[in-house]
């Protein structure tokens, strides 16, 4: 069901604002409506979150990977107490990070200088002596290998040194000749590069740079070792990060509040079943307040909250993947859940797969204790596994082996499956189509009920219930071919014709022009083809169920009837072969189960979204986003 919402208005003294927001955050009951006048007070809190996030990312490569298991639990107060010690750790890490960054920068500068000096290693003159004089133009630089000859032909004195694609070149000419050959020197590709204030020979500087680089690399290794020593502190930082996020969210909520120097005003949406809880929490803090609740006004963007029983609530995850229902409309979750449960089992249709899926989902829920969407999806798969256990017995297989083989020699040998889709596909198709018609008729009745609640009797009868009678009439027309009395066929024909006339005449009732009404009605009657398509969509239940059994049978044949048969005749080979084939068979069936489960989840949802929801569901609801504890690493108690 969709929980009724109330608009909350709260006025209280400014000195109680922090305590009231903490209380509201703890009960997760109020979504704030921004007043556009609040103070911008969350910059410091956001800064703490970012510092802690950076520290957590910095330590991530050094920390041990988290194992499987539930998240640890802590109170809000415990998490927020961890913030300041963690920020002190952040300061140390930031200092280390700056030193590592500076080290990397210094190392890179020396590497670049070293690479520029390496071609000059054979030059024995000190670099500071290589410069122009009053009469000579002395240049050092590089020239491409294919420009060496051109440089030699310029008339300048050229001394070449090391390099492959580019050669180091010392070019000397008289000052009075330089103007005449400068263009030729540039045309050769020569690029002048000086040595700056470097002193000593190139080889001496190369050795010095290599020594410095080695020292910097050793220093970096020490710094990284110091950083790695902080790895055990990552858990503290993660806890503090959750605490800082809680604090940040609360600070950001203040931006939605209007206030004066002494009081503040809070407006928001609250679940109707939580109004008294909100009042009780505020009364624990102060008795100087005003608290009012009112119904939503027309045009309000009211958020949607779903509330269902423990068995139905997990299927809210399926509904949410489609769209939340609009506030004030119908929650499709409890209406589609039984069908989803049945269809999932019929599609997977293997008892062993169902048992493994159910046990796996149960273990995931018990030991990892997920929350939110992940918890609901795991429960959907758990119930899907339970459904599959029974549907596999009724319509499917046992790890790809047919039930008559499993039950051979027992009284139940010829009892299960009730319908063997591989041996009797028509009966299985008919069953799937019948279930589809039942679900679609159910959707039409829901839509008709919604129209009646709004006082729209014409919409209930013409737009919805008429189709039940038209489709039922068309089905009854096939009665004589099934050996049923011909009177049923005749009654069905006139039923279909009569209600088709109702649709033709009244589906376009909003139009004043008679011709327009008839055209609109005729167009609406064409929807009978979409009903046929929708019914055929339910054949996917048969198709997926059949594919599970057939592929399972093929896997068994490949592994046991073909591969294991090749080991027969030698006892040792048979033992080894049995181990190999068993492992291979389990691996292939596990892969097949995973793929089939994904397909069943998607296609079961697709039947709900298109064939069922498409006839009555009003999507577009906005999620309820209350002030709450949004944590990543710790569950708040």
């Amino acid at each position: 069901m969709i929980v009724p919402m109330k608009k909350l208005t709260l006025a209280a003294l400014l000195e109680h604002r922090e305590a009231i927001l903490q209380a509201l955050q703890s009960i997760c009951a109020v979504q704030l409506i921004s007043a556009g006048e609040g103070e911008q007070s969350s910059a410091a809190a956001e800064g703490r979150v970012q510092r802690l996030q950076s520290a957590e990312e910095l330590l991530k490569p050094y920390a041990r990977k988290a194992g499987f298991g539930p998240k640890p639990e802590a109170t809000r107060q415990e998490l927020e107490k961890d913030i300041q010690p963690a920020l002190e750790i952040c300061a140390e890490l930031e200092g280390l990070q700056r030193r590592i960054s500076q080290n990397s920068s210094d190392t890179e500068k020396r590497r670049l200088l070293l690479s520029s000096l390496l071609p000059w290693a054979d030059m024995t003159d000190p670099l500071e002596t290589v410069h122009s004089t009053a009469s000579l133009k002395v240049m050092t630089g590089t020239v491409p290998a294919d420009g060496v000859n051109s440089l030699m032909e310029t008339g300048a004195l050229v001394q070449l040194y090391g390099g492959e694609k580019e050669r180091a070149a010392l070019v000397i000419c008289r000052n009075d000749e330089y103007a005449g050959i400068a263009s030729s020197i540039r045309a050769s590709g020569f690029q002048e590069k000086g040595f700056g204030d470097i002193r000593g020979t190139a080889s001496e500087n190369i050795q010095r740079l290599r020594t410095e680089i080695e020292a910097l690399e050793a220093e970096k290794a020490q710094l990284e070792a110091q950083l790695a020593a902080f790895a055990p502190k990552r858990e503290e930082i993660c806890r503090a990060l959750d605490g800082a996020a809680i604090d940040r969210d609360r600070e950001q909520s203040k931006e939605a509040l209007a206030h004066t120097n002494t009081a503040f005003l809070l407006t928001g949406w609250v679940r109707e079943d939580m109004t008294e809880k909100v009042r009780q929490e505020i009364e624990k803090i102060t008795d100087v307040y005003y608290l009012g609740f009112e119904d939503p006004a027309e045009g309000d963007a009211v958020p949607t909250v779903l509330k269902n029983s423990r068995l139905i609530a997990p299927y809210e995850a399926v509904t949410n993947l489609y769209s939340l229902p609009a506030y004030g409309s119908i929650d499709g979750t409890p209406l589609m859940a039984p069908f989803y449960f049945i269809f999932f089992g019929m599609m997977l249709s293997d008892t062993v797969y169902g048992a493994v899926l159910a046990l796996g989902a149960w273990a995931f829920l018990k030991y990892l204790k997920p929350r939110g969407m992940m918890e609901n999806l795991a429960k959907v798969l758990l119930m899907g596994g339970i459904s599959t256990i029974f549907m596999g017995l009724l319509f499917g297989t046992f790890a790809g082996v047919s039930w008559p083989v499993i039950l051979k020699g027992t009284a139940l040998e010829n009892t299960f499956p009730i319908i063997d889709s591989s041996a009797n596909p028509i009966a299985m198709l008919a069953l799937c189509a019948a279930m589809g018609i039942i679900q679609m008729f159910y959707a039409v009745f829901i839509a008709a009920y919604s129209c009646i609640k709004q006082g729209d009797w014409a919409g209930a009868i013409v737009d919805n219930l008429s189709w039940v009678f038209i489709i039922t009439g068309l089905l009854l027309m096939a009665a004589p071919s099934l050996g049923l009395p011909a009177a049923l066929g005749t009654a069905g024909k006139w039923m279909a014709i009569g209600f088709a006339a109702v649709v033709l005449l009244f589906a376009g009732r909003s139009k004043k022009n008679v011709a327009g009404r008839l055209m609109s009605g005729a167009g609406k009657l064409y929807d009978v083809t979409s009903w046929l398509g929708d019914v055929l969509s339910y054949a996917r239940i048969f198709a997926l169920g059949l594919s599970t059994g057939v592929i399972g049978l093929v896997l068994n044949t490949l592994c046991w009837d073909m591969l294991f048969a090749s080991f027969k005749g030698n006892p040792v080979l048979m033992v080894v072969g049995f181990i190999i084939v068993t492992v291979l068979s389990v691996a292939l069936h596990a892969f097949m189960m995973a793929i089939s489960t994904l397909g069943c989840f998607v296609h079961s949802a697709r039947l709900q979204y298109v064939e069922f929801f498409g006839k009555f569901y009003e999507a577009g609801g906005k999620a309820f986003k209350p002030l709450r504890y949004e944590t990543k690493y710790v569950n708040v108690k």
Side-chain angles (χ1 to χ4, degrees), residues 63 88 122 132 181 255 273-274 348 379 422 431 467 474 481 487 524 528 560 588 590:
E88 294 172 3
D122 294 334
S132 299
I181 64 175
E255 299 173 9
D273 56 359
M274 293 290 287
L348 194 53
K379 288 180 177 178
S422 60
L431 175 63
W467 286 102
L474 292 175
S481 63
K524 192 67 177 175
V528 71
W560 296 101
L588 290 175

Side-chain angles (χ1 to χ4, degrees), residues 587-610:
L588 290 175
H589 274 290
F591 177 76
M592 174 60 190
M593 187 192 77
I595 296 298
S596 298
T597 298
L598 177 61
C600 294
F601 182 89
V602 171
H603 288 288
S604 297
R606 191 261 180 206
L607 289 176
Q608 313 309 316
Y609 298 159
V610 180

Side-chain angles (χ1 to χ4, degrees), residues 208-487:
R208 174 180 61 82
L209 289 171
R210 284 174 172 165
T211 302
E212 290 178 358
I213 289 172
E214 289 177 2
L216 286 169
E217 288 177 341
E219 181 188 12
K220 184 177 181 180
Q222 291 178 352
L223 292 173
E224 288 180 341
Q226 293 178 38
L227 192 61
F230 279 91
K233 301 288 186 181
R234 181 171 177 265
E235 184 177 343
E236 296 177 34
I237 290 174
C238 290
R239 286 171 57 90
L241 179 55
D242 279 346
I246 291 171
D247 185 54
R248 184 266 320 272
D249 293 344
R250 192 169 60 253
E251 288 297 318
Q252 287 179 343
S253 71
K254 294 177 182 177
E255 299 173 9
L257 310 182
H259 68 91
T260 66
N261 291 333
T262 57
F264 73 93
L265 179 68
L266 179 154
T267 58
W269 295 109
V270 60
R271 296 168 50 143
E272 187 178 60
D273 56 359
M274 293 290 287
T275 53
E276 284 307 309
K277 179 67 174 175
V278 170
R279 188 183 301 276
Q280 291 169 9
E281 290 297 320
I282 294 172
E283 286 178 349
K284 291 178 183 178
I285 299 167
T286 178
D287 55 2
V288 182
Y289 71 93
Y290 164 78
L291 181 63
F293 302 100
E294 59 185 46
D295 292 329
E298 186 175 352
D300 281 342
V302 187
T304 300
V305 183
L306 304 182
K307 181 181 180 181
N308 291 288
S309 66
R310 291 179 61 186
L311 279 178
I312 300 299
Y315 291 95
E316 291 174 7
V318 179
T319 301
N320 292 341
L321 287 173
Y322 178 68
S323 173
L324 278 170
Y327 183 78
S329 64
I330 296 174
D331 177 15
T333 307
L335 306 175
M336 67 86 177
F339 292 101
Y340 192 98
F341 176 81
I342 294 170
F343 293 164
F344 187 101
M346 292 179 68
M347 288 181 182
L348 194 53
S349 69
D350 189 285
T351 297
V352 173
Y353 290 1
V356 173
L357 179 62
L359 287 172
W362 172 82
F364 180 77
L365 289 165
K366 179 175 177 60
Y367 296 107
L368 296 187
K369 294 182 171 59
R371 290 188 177 184
M373 174 73 82
M374 189 60 68
E375 178 185 12
N376 284 339
L377 289 175
K379 288 180 177 178
V380 168
L381 293 179
L382 171 61
M383 288 186 278
I386 294 171
S387 173
T388 302
I389 292 172
F390 294 102
M391 295 302 168
L393 185 63
L394 297 178
F395 309 112
T397 56
F398 186 93
V401 181
S402 63
W403 284 106
V405 174
I406 298 293
L407 301 174
K408 188 173 184 179
T410 69
L412 301 175
E413 179 179 351
N414 298 315
T415 303
F416 297 105
I418 302 300
I419 300 177
D420 188 342
S421 56
S422 60
N424 194 356
I426 300 302
M428 193 64 189
L429 272 173
L431 175 63
C432 294
M435 295 189 69
I437 291 172
I438 291 171
Q439 185 179 32
M440 289 191 292
F441 278 6
Y442 183 36
V444 169
F445 288 133
I446 295 167
Y449 172 74
S450 181
C451 289
I452 293 170
K453 279 187 67 177
Q454 298 170 16
D456 183 11
W457 284 88
I461 296 171
V462 177
D463 299 334
N464 292 290
L465 295 178
S466 290
W467 286 102
V468 174
F469 292 104
I470 291 172
I471 301 302
T472 302
L474 292 175
L475 292 174
L476 288 176
M477 287 173 63
S481 63
L482 299 175
L484 298 173

Side-chain angles (χ1 to χ4, degrees), residues 7-58:
K7 182 178 282 188
L8 170 149
T9 302
L10 169 66
L13 295 177
L14 194 62
E15 63 187 85
H16 297 137
R17 180 179 62 178
E18 181 70 18
I20 288 174
L21 288 175
Q22 286 182 0
L24 295 181
Q25 191 177 30
S26 69
I27 61 175
C28 184
V30 178
Q31 176 179 319
L32 301 180
I33 299 174
S34 177
E37 304 173 8
E39 62 183 52
Q40 303 296 314
S41 62
S42 61
E46 180 62 34
R48 288 194 293 272
V49 170
Q50 291 180 1
R51 287 184 66 193
L52 290 164
Q53 282 178 336
S54 298
E56 186 274 330
E57 287 294 329
L58 188 63

Side-chain angles (χ1 to χ4, degrees), residues 186-207:
R186 288 193 296 269
S188 70
F190 175 79
Q191 292 185 350
E192 188 174 0
K193 297 178 182 177
F195 297 115
D197 58 355
I198 302 176
R199 306 184 67 82
T201 65
S203 58
E204 290 172 349
N205 281 279
I206 288 171
Q207 183 58 42

